[in-house]
């Protein structure tokens, strides 16, 4: 006869995993629930009654959609810039040997270990000393620099796992450097590049500390949320947060589905 303690020991890892997942998902569930709330006061912290008014008019709060659009633009361009530069750096660090490679590797990963406030203050001092006006472009430059390390880490891990014999086989079949890269190297490295790009977009869209230091009078969505929380949090913020969470989940599910289909389509 199996005792409860034996069952618990056998399923302890599963229980811990489910508990951790529930802990991570719980804030998103709360945000989703309160996106359907109709608060009586300025603060959306206590449940009053069910309402779809915020979903019908998500831009009902002044400057909310403007700040959201700005954050999406910055995140998109920062993702493109960081992905292009990070992919090139990752390939260079894995495929080539050059003087100072170890120092460059340390400098690339330094922003991941450095507190954000240190980078934010350093970039602010740099922009002020160069006489650059704070705004959209200073935020974009700061976000590219911040996201670059994460792209390099993701792409570098993928490139290290690649079999160089595949590229050698392509060259033996008279494929040129461009054909080898586009048809062999790039498709194999694509999952790492996509992971770095998605991570960059999420980090850029969500960033507050670096943006707050280098934004000037420009207001992004995280800064709008921070400012609104001091005066009263509108329900529309929960609506935007819920929509972004659902989109992120759908993107992950789509990626998993495509990956599973490709695995099933491969000959055994």
């Amino acid at each position: 006869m199996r005792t409860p303690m034996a069952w618990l020991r056998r399923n302890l890892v599963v229980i811990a995993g489910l508990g951790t997942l529930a802990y991570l998902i719980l804030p998103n569930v709360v945000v989703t629930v309160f996106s359907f709330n109709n608060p009586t006061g300025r603060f959306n912290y206590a449940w009053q009654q069910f309402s779809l008014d915020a979903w019908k008019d998500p831009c009902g709060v002044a400057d909310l959609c403007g700040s959201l659009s700005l954050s999406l633009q910055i995140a998109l361009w920062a993702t493109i810039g960081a992905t292009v530069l990070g992919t090139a750096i990752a390939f260079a660090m894995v495929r080539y040997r050059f003087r100072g490679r170890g120092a460059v590797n340390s400098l690339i990963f330094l922003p991941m270990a450095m507190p954000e406030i240190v980078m934010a203050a350093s970039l602010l001092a740099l922009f002020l000393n160069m006489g650059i006006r704070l705004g959209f472009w200073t935020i974009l430059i700061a976000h590219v620099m911040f996201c670059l390390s994460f792209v390099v880490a993701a792409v570098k891990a993928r490139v290290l796992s690649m079999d160089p014999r595949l590229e050698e086989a392509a060259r033996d079949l008279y494929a040129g450097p461009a054909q080898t890269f586009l048809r062999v190297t790039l498709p194999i490295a694509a999952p790492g590049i996509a992971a770095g790009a998605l991570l960059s977009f999420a980090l850029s869209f969500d960033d507050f500390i670096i943006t707050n230091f280098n934004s000037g009078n420009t207001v992004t969505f995280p800064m709008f949320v921070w400012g609104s929380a001091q005066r009263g949090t509108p329900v529309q913020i929960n609506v935007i947060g819920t929509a972004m969470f659902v989109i992120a989940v759908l993107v992950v599910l789509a990626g998993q589905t495509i990956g599973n289909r490709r695995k099933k389509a491969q000959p055994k």
Side-chain angles (χ1 to χ4, degrees):
M1 182 177 180
R2 295 180 179 178
T3 62
M5 288 301 298
W7 179 90
L8 181 62
R9 285 195 298 268
R10 189 173 65 255
N11 298 280
L12 183 60
V13 175
V14 177
I15 295 173
L18 293 176
T20 304
L21 183 62
Y23 176 77
L24 294 173
I25 296 298
L26 182 60
N28 298 288
V29 174
V30 174
V31 169
T32 302
V33 170
F34 277 86
S35 68
F36 297 98
N37 189 26
N38 185 20
T40 55
R42 294 181 301 166
F43 297 96
N44 185 27
Y45 300 148
W47 180 262
Q48 300 296 332
Q49 60 179 351
F50 181 85
S51 175
L52 292 173
D53 293 341
W55 282 92
K56 294 178 181 178
D57 188 16
C59 296
V61 180
D63 298 330
L64 189 151
C65 283
S67 63
L68 175 63
S69 175
L70 181 63
S71 287
L72 291 174
Q73 293 178 47
I74 293 175
L76 177 61
W77 288 112
T79 299
I80 295 174
T83 302
V84 173
L85 293 175
T87 301
I89 292 173
F91 272 95
M93 295 181 64
V94 174
R95 296 295 178 84
Y96 299 97
R97 299 293 183 267
F98 52 89
R99 183 177 299 178
R101 181 169 173 267
V104 173
N105 186 57
S106 300
L107 290 174
I108 287 296
F109 291 97
L110 188 61
M112 299 177 63
M114 183 188 303
E116 282 191 50
I117 193 168
V118 176
M119 177 179 285
S122 301
L123 287 170
L124 176 61
L126 174 65
F127 292 141
L128 292 179
N129 288 329
M130 295 181 64
I132 300 176
R133 183 177 180 181
L134 301 180
F136 178 90
W137 292 107
T138 55
I139 298 175
L140 179 59
I141 294 171
H143 282 202
V144 170
M145 294 183 63
F146 174 64
C147 297
L148 188 62
S149 299
F150 296 91
V151 177
V152 173
V155 178
K156 185 179 178 182
R158 183 64 179 177
V159 175
L160 285 171
S161 65
M162 292 174 56
D163 189 351
R165 291 175 296 182
L166 296 174
E167 296 172 303
E168 293 175 2
R171 288 191 291 267
D172 290 340
L173 295 172
Y174 303 103
Q179 285 182 311
T180 302
F181 179 77
L182 294 175
R183 298 190 177 186
V184 178
T185 307
L186 189 59
I188 298 176
I193 298 174
L198 291 174
L199 185 59
S200 295
F201 186 89
L203 290 171
S204 176
F205 181 83
D206 185 59
D207 182 77
F208 172 77
I209 298 177
I210 294 177
T211 305
N212 189 39
F213 271 72
N214 299 279
S215 61
N217 295 325
T218 306
V219 179
T220 61
F221 183 70
M223 295 180 64
F224 178 86
V225 174
W226 177 76
S228 298
Q230 302 178 9
R231 303 184 301 271
T233 308
V235 185
Q236 284 80 357
I237 290 179
N238 296 64
V239 173
I240 300 299
T242 302
M244 296 299 296
F245 174 70
V246 171
I247 292 173
V249 171
L250 292 177
V251 170
V252 172
L253 291 177
Q256 291 290 336
T257 302
I258 295 173
N260 292 334
R261 288 182 178 178
R262 287 181 177 178
K263 288 181 180 180
K264 292 180 179 179
Q266 291 178 354
K268 296 182 180 179

